[in-house]
Amino acid sequence: MGSTARTRVTLKDIAAHAGVSRSTVSLVMQESELVAGATRKRVQEAAAALGYVYNRGAATLRSSRTATVGVVVHDIANPFFGALMAGIDETLQAADYIPFLASSGDSLDRQARFLARMREHRVDALLLCPAEETPAASIEAIADWGMPCIEVMRHVGKSPLGDYVGADLRTGVINAVRHLVIQGHRRITLLAGIADHSAGRERLAGYRHAMHEAGLDDLSNVDRGPLTRCAGRERTLALLRGNTTPTALICHNDLVALGALLALSHLGLRAGRDCAVIGVDDIEEAALAEPALSSIATHPRAIGRNAAELALKRIAQPEGERQRIVLEAPLVIRASSRISSAVAQELT
Amino acid sequence: MGSTARTRVTLKDIAAHAGVSRSTVSLVMQESELVAGATRKRVQEAAAALGYVYNRGAATLRSSRTATVGVVVHDIANPFFGALMAGIDETLQAADYIPFLASSGDSLDRQARFLARMREHRVDALLLCPAEETPAASIEAIADWGMPCIEVMRHVGKSPLGDYVGADLRTGVINAVRHLVIQGHRRITLLAGIADHSAGRERLAGYRHAMHEAGLDDLSNVDRGPLTRCAGRERTLALLRGNTTPTALICHNDLVALGALLALSHLGLRAGRDCAVIGVDDIEEAALAEPALSSIATHPRAIGRNAAELALKRIAQPEGERQRIVLEAPLVIRASSRISSAVAQELT
DNA sequence: CCTCGTATTTGGATCGATCCAAAAGTGTCG
DNA sequence: CGACACTTTTGGATCGATCCAAATACGAGG
């Protein structure tokens, strides 16, 4: 197979070899229906014989389609975004698109630099988990560039400006609170993050709504802090040493919840019996924790798939009606929030 | 800021606005030293005033540099590869390069499709964790295409054909076995994967070497199976129910090891006291498991950084001498492999 | 003032595809 | 046989940058 490094094969070479014009070869490459079957075959054979490699850059220059999509996440090392990316990759691969990836580290500066680069590369669309504090103007600017942008998981402003794909965390948290209330819990604390973004606000709204519904407004308690496993452990320890200790914790994500489980076992308490714990995301680890962790499942892979599909649709119809896809975030009940260890069940 | 959608600004427009030629503007964009300071400033101001966006596609057509790099991993949802990717992204961002990402799912077919696409996009280099069973010919073919390729974590063939970045798992496993032997363990089982690739062979070589060194050849026991957390649990249960039960387990990766911990606690046994467990990768979760998991640290982020740096170097010097970078994989000793719970220490 | 070397600037060709309007080929039918 | 409709094919212009050899500007020295 090893070919000698001769000069690069272009459409012109194929045209000469197959006895047709450049234009015809181009049409074949674009899988156009215009060209006759016999001709198409001859051209394809010539291309194969010469070892032709399509030059997408050259095609882009004329047609301004790149078959690429830009993806920005906060931190690709976080398993949640890994799974999200897996869903995106899967869908794009099937459509012969390829993702450019960047981690913003929740820094506006890095996000801006990446966006500028994506613009230079003329990606066909952008999948953006906006960094904290991203101003609405940035999203509008992207639209202004003529670049379709899908906001994923978070959106800037009160409600999404354009296309959006996320999980229904509000309902998820409401279900979680109801599930706890039914079991007799009254002092339910929300372990939230510090930053103020849509995904955090949704959780908070669900929590407030459900606590109010249960007549527990005056027992509402929101604890704000960092969102790592370690922080979850420390914050839980602090809460349990306070004077009004909660009987149940709803955590911003599973990492924090797993930290909370560590804190409980460190104090010799049993999650579920002594204090209920519920996380968010239902990462793989949740089911295998000891005791198994109840969690509001956000299905990152499915979100990734939906977001990528929406991006492809928007590329095809740039002016189509904007969509807002909100996937269900069902509560998965496991031992960490059950007094008795009855069989696992799911609430919608 | 919202500009109306007028026709796209090109070098020609800037040239007209600044009263110079296209060529001069081009030189400014390339940050060439040739152009006089005053002219440069005038051009830059004109570009800013007109809202110019560099068209990298057009530049590529002529210069055949894309400022992109292709990255192939097996599964981006795996936290190990997430961390690896974070290191790659970090390094590339600093150099104004951008990664294309694809998950091969360890499928040769998907890998081949992605490689073909990368070729069409003319990436400047490739970072490849080769899928299982990748033939050496594929790697040679990539080189033949004139595309620098860095093998990461795994390499095809006995030893790397070209550039390679990985971790010294052989020494890591040797240290693990020695650490166990010193504590009196003799029946040490290696929980390996099924596939035959370099990373698996290195672990095995280390294991065989150290067992031989300790005169334990006839007690060597390699168990092959799937590499998930669940599989780790099941495989450990099966081993402990066998007739010659191991007193220590060295697991292919931390996921398997965490599964092993679950199995032990399920049987009412305590890891470290009743059976030692050591994993590979030292993922974040390892330190927080209960009991804390000993692990051979592969530092995926550092590997990602090194691999990306090597790629950049190879782009600058395509014909430079091939490199083989093998990072240390130190054994991090925690409670899961210690009889007494002495303070944590590290072995090199 | 002219010459020569160095520092800047420039026009035209070029990279490799697509687009478009027009040309060529094919078949049907009065 | 010629008109007409329809299917295929084609040449030239074009996308927006870079490359290169040649032109020009500038300054110092004779």
Side-chain angles (χ1 to χ4, degrees), chain A residues 10-11 26 30 52 54 62:
Chain A
T10 72
L11 287 197
S26 173
Q30 293 171 78
Y52 173 69
Y54 187 74
R62 191 72 235 264

Side-chain angles (χ1 to χ4, degrees), chain B residues 302-325:
Chain B
I303 291 178
R305 274 196 298 262
N306 275 277
E309 271 161 23
L310 182 50
L312 294 173
K313 188 190 287 183
R314 187 59 63 236
I315 290 169
Q317 307 181 350
E319 299 307 331
E321 198 187 344
R322 295 296 176 260
Q323 288 194 20
R324 185 163 183 261
I325 299 178

Side-chain angles (χ1 to χ4, degrees), chain A residues 80-269:
Chain A
F80 176 86
F81 289 112
L84 181 83
M85 191 64 210
I88 293 173
D89 179 57
E90 196 180 307
T91 304
L92 292 183
Q93 274 193 31
D96 276 1
Y97 269 72
I98 303 202
F100 279 114
L101 173 69
S103 267
S104 70
D106 248 337
S107 141
L108 277 181
D109 188 53
R110 283 173 67 177
Q111 176 175 284
R113 278 222 307 282
F114 180 76
L115 292 181
R117 190 132 324 123
M118 288 299 88
R119 203 178 168 200
E120 294 178 357
H121 279 283
R122 287 177 167 51
V123 294
D124 294 332
L126 208 53
L127 293 168
L128 178 65
C129 304
E132 280 166 24
E133 324 255 335
T134 300
S138 302
I139 306 290
E140 283 160 11
I142 295 169
D144 227 42
W145 300 346
M147 192 182 285
C149 175
I150 319 286
E151 290 184 277
V152 183
M153 289 310 296
R154 294 181 186 170
H155 54 81
V156 310
K158 284 256 171 191
S159 69
L161 284 163
D163 291 306
Y164 170 76
V165 179
D168 187 1
L169 291 173
R170 184 171 179 280
T171 306
V173 171
I174 289 176
N175 286 335
V177 173
R178 285 180 184 159
H179 158 68
L180 292 168
V181 167
I182 286 173
Q183 291 190 75
H185 289 282
R186 298 176 57 78
R187 293 201 304 284
I188 303 168
T189 294
L190 180 71
L191 281 176
I194 293 167
D196 176 47
H197 54 249
S198 67
R201 283 195 299 272
E202 280 175 36
R203 289 168 170 85
L204 185 60
Y207 173 75
R208 290 252 168 82
H209 174 88
M211 290 298 276
H212 178 72
E213 171 188 82
L216 299 175
D217 300 86
D218 48 339
L219 290 175
S220 279
N221 187 12
V222 178
D223 179 88
R224 294 193 173 272
L227 296 174
T228 63
R229 203 185 296 247
C230 287
R233 183 170 179 277
E234 299 311 316
R235 291 168 63 186
T236 303
L237 287 175
L239 281 172
L240 294 176
R241 282 177 188 138
N243 36 10
T244 54
T245 62
T247 66
L249 301 173
I250 297 179
C251 304
H252 184 276
N253 63 29
D254 282 347
L255 295 183
V256 173
L258 290 167
L261 292 187
L262 290 176
L264 289 171
S265 97
H266 180 257
L267 294 175
L269 302 174

Side-chain angles (χ1 to χ4, degrees), chain B residues 287-308:
Chain B
L288 295 155
E290 187 48 41
L293 178 68
S294 294
S295 190
I296 298 165
T298 45
H299 302 306
R301 202 169 190 125
I303 291 178
R305 274 196 298 262
N306 275 277

Side-chain angles (χ1 to χ4, degrees), chain A residues 165 294-295:
Chain A
V165 179
S294 295
S295 190

